[in-house]
Amino acid sequence: MSSPALTALDDAGLPYRVIRHGPVRSLAEAAAARGVAVPDVVKTIVVRRGEDDHLFVLTPGDRVVSWPKLRHLLGVSRMSMPDAAAAKAATGYERGTITPFGATTAWPVVADERLRGREITLGAGEHGVAVAVDADAALAALDATVADVTDPEPAR
C-alpha cells in the first residue's frame, strides 16, 4: 500500500510498522485494535492560529490539549480548531486519519513531552490504518517542538 503518509515516512528514512484494523469508534477501541495502550495512540489535532496558519499538535491518547499551555508556548492569545472541511483542506486528510506525515502542507508540529521514549501509533492517512513508529525518531523527523501541552483526559 502506498499513501502520502507512508511515502513521507519512507522519505524520512523512518522505520515503521503498518497496522491495519477495522473501523473503530473510540480511542480505547483503536488501542485494542492496534494492540497498544491508550497513551500510545497518538491524536493528531489540527489547530488554526490565523488565516492559512495551522499547526499539528500530537497528544497521547489519554490526554487532551491544554489550550492555556499551548497558547503560552506559541505566544498567541487565540487559536481554534477548524471544522472537518477546513481541516481536510489544510492537511489533505479526513478527520480520524490526520497525520503530519504526508500532509499537503508541512505545518509546524508541537508534540506533548510525554510521547518521548516510547513506540507510538499514528494515523496513516486512511481509516483503519495506522503506523507504529519510534516517537523520538518521528519527532526529530518532524522537527517537532516538544513541550508540556496537555492535561489528563477528564473523567467521564
Side-chain angles (χ1 to χ4, degrees):
M1 167 189 126
S2 183
S3 72
L6 298 183
T7 299
L9 286 160
D10 289 337
D11 290 349
L14 285 174
Y16 61 90
R17 177 173 42 90
V18 175
I19 305 167
R20 297 177 190 284
H21 54 77
V24 295
R25 293 182 302 277
S26 70
L27 218 64
E29 283 185 22
R34 296 175 187 183
V36 300
V38 169
D40 297 326
V41 175
V42 173
K43 297 181 282 189
T44 302
I45 312 297
V46 180
V47 175
R48 181 181 181 272
R49 286 190 287 196
E51 185 67 32
D52 199 32
D53 182 15
H54 297 81
L55 61 119
F56 294 106
V57 181
L58 305 181
T59 70
D62 61 342
R63 299 187 64 89
V64 296
V65 173
S66 168
W67 297 105
K69 290 177 185 178
L70 186 59
R71 284 192 304 269
H72 178 74
L73 175 72
L74 299 173
V76 298
S77 59
R78 295 194 68 219
M79 290 181 290
S80 62
M81 289 182 56
D83 65 22
K88 184 169 183 182
T91 67
Y93 294 123
E94 292 179 15
R95 278 207 182 139
T97 71
I98 296 174
T99 175
F101 289 102
T104 52
T105 301
W107 300 111
V109 176
V110 173
D112 188 71
E113 65 188 9
R114 290 158 191 85
L115 298 177
R116 288 188 189 137
R118 57 206 296 171
E119 182 181 74
I120 57 172
T121 63
L122 293 161
E126 63 183 79
H127 292 287
V129 182
V131 292
V133 60
D134 177 79
D136 296 333
L139 298 179
L142 294 166
D143 195 26
T145 299
V146 180
D148 176 12
V149 294
T150 65
D151 289 325
E153 182 82 45
R156 295 184 190 248

